[in-house]
Amino acid sequence: MPDRPRPTLSLPTPGARRAVVVGAGSFGTAIAVLLARGGVRTTLQARTATQAERLNADRENQAYLPGVKLPAALKVEAVGAGLARADYVLLAVPSRGLDAVIAGLPAAGLPKRAAVVSLAKGLVPPLGTPPTILLATGFGAHRVACVGGPAHAAEMVHEGAGLVAASADEQLALSLSSFFQKAGVVCEASNDPVGVELAGAAKNAAALAAGATERQGLNAAGAAAGHIFAEVWRFAEGLGARPESLIGLAGTGDLVATALAPQSRNRRAGELLADGVPAHEIPERIGQAVEAMESVGLLAQALRHAGVEAPVTTGLSRLIGGELPLDEWVALVRTTVPPPARWRPPRVERGFWQRLWARRRPGAAGPEADGT
């Protein structure tokens, strides 16, 4: 029987270092700056030709990332220029428009060997799909990655950040991590892209919830965030995600950064909700899109369809939609009791405690004595 031809690898070759960042908002611009600093030949694609011309003229994104000079090596163009020479395509667009951008990638000349990386921290409508699941359906999981973690854009380019590059393909995750490390930014490589994405979605929802309840008490704000993370974790677990993704840099680490940041859009959106500002007016008040304002409803819908009991996430969605008054939202947060733990018999190796106790006795041989 003749040998079958081996499938062609879809990932960039080891020496390939051409990246295109689609979307010139604050985070997309910051990522492009870091990639250029890390030695990657990087192009930042702006939404319109007018925006691209302005960025090239100023060599600074005054609208979204003022005070950060664009590296001389960073090329800026409009999205119409295409992707024909890209090895890595990073999508820095709001999750609500991600499906349309993904659908247009082949027509934009996406090479068959190019990796596609989502930078969104929201979910894709109409079903609340994690972006990498949508991308993997079209391009294969081995070509797909995401980036998460505490990464306030301005601070990231000046002081550093704690990023997570996640992919089902080890080499892709390690390559992305190395690019950011060379730019002076800590970046963990993870094999749990869905967990990292859901951690970001939980973080956005929890930060908004904390902002909406903080004036009613710090305990209520903490409970709101904790409930949401627990509810999202039960959903993530069903998709095969790992708990460390939600308690690590991409989850609780990012939540602390967002909750403490005075300029956090998600927390500020929660505060405006608590002030009675209608949800549709909040992005205009803040001056930018607020990912959580749209992703919370999608998150609640995804949890419901998965059969996950999620009263706090659902209540937050209703608060944003104007269906639940603030006092009822706070009461819901304060009175919700999570499902009880599932007790299991302890799994401890036989003789473990005896060996541990023996090592604590005076004169007992330590690990060095037995060569372990």
Side-chain angles (χ1 to χ4, degrees):
M1 182 177 178
D3 293 337
R4 293 181 179 179
R6 293 184 179 182
T8 303
L9 292 176
S10 296
L11 288 179
T13 58
R17 291 186 171 216
R18 291 183 182 273
V20 175
V21 179
V22 180
S26 57
F27 193 57
T29 302
I31 289 291
V33 168
L34 291 178
L35 289 173
R37 288 179 184 174
V40 182
R41 287 177 287 181
T42 305
T43 298
L44 176 63
Q45 290 193 344
R47 185 176 68 253
T48 65
T50 300
Q51 186 186 15
E53 291 171 3
R54 172 55 58 192
L55 292 173
N56 275 316
D58 297 338
R59 298 307 297 174
E60 178 181 337
N61 193 335
Q62 295 182 359
Y64 296 110
L65 198 64
V68 176
K69 292 298 180 182
L70 303 183
L74 177 61
K75 183 179 179 181
V76 181
E77 61 188 20
V79 292
L83 307 169
R85 301 186 67 190
D87 300 302
Y88 301 86
V89 175
L90 296 94
L91 305 179
V93 298
S95 56
R96 68 174 180 272
L98 197 57
D99 55 344
V101 173
I102 292 172
L105 290 177
L110 178 73
K112 292 183 178 180
R113 295 172 63 86
V116 186
V117 184
S118 171
L119 304 181
K121 291 186 179 179
L123 302 175
V124 182
L127 301 178
T129 309
T132 55
I133 291 181
L134 188 63
L135 286 166
T137 301
F139 306 110
H142 58 293
R143 291 177 61 186
V144 169
C146 66
V147 174
H152 179 263
E155 182 179 337
M156 183 165 63
V157 296
H158 291 302
E159 307 294 339
L163 300 178
V164 182
S167 174
D169 185 273
E170 180 180 8
Q171 188 56 51
L172 176 53
L174 290 174
S175 295
L176 291 170
S177 175
S178 71
F179 296 157
F180 292 116
Q181 296 271 19
K182 288 176 182 177
V185 172
V186 170
C187 185
E188 171 193 355
S190 166
N191 64 353
D192 186 19
V194 173
V196 168
E197 288 180 318
L198 289 176
K203 179 275 297 189
N204 281 344
L208 190 148
T213 53
E214 181 180 358
R215 294 172 191 169
Q216 283 68 40
L218 295 178
N219 290 343
H227 280 306
I228 287 171
F229 261 80
E231 291 170 0
V232 174
W233 163 241
R234 290 193 286 274
F235 172 57
E237 187 178 28
L239 296 178
R242 298 196 315 277
E244 55 264 36
S245 296
L246 273 82
I247 64 174
L249 291 174
T252 52
D254 202 0
L255 173 62
V256 170
T258 300
L260 293 179
Q263 62 275 63
S264 165
R265 284 175 286 170
N266 291 305
R267 193 188 75 174
R268 180 62 182 145
E271 293 171 344
L272 290 172
L273 276 176
D275 289 339
V277 178
H280 68 273
E281 294 182 10
I282 289 177
E284 184 178 354
R285 291 274 193 105
I286 292 177
Q288 292 191 55
V290 182
E291 195 89 76
M293 295 296 293
E294 298 175 2
S295 65
V296 168
L298 292 170
L299 184 59
Q301 175 181 290
L303 293 172
R304 183 173 63 255
H305 287 167
V308 175
E309 186 179 351
V312 175
T313 305
T314 301
L316 181 61
S317 176
R318 294 181 61 212
L319 176 68
I320 293 171
E323 303 167 16
L324 187 69
L326 180 66
D327 57 348
E328 293 184 26
W329 151 250
V330 175
L332 174 67
V333 168
R334 291 190 182 278
T335 58
T336 295
V337 178
R342 293 172 290 178
W343 277 268
R344 300 185 181 94
R347 299 178 61 184
V348 179
E349 183 183 353
R350 186 181 297 275
F352 170 82
W353 293 112
Q354 290 85 344
R355 290 193 299 274
L356 182 62
W357 181 254
R359 290 187 178 185
R360 292 175 56 88
R361 290 182 300 177
E368 297 80 3
D370 60 15
T372 59

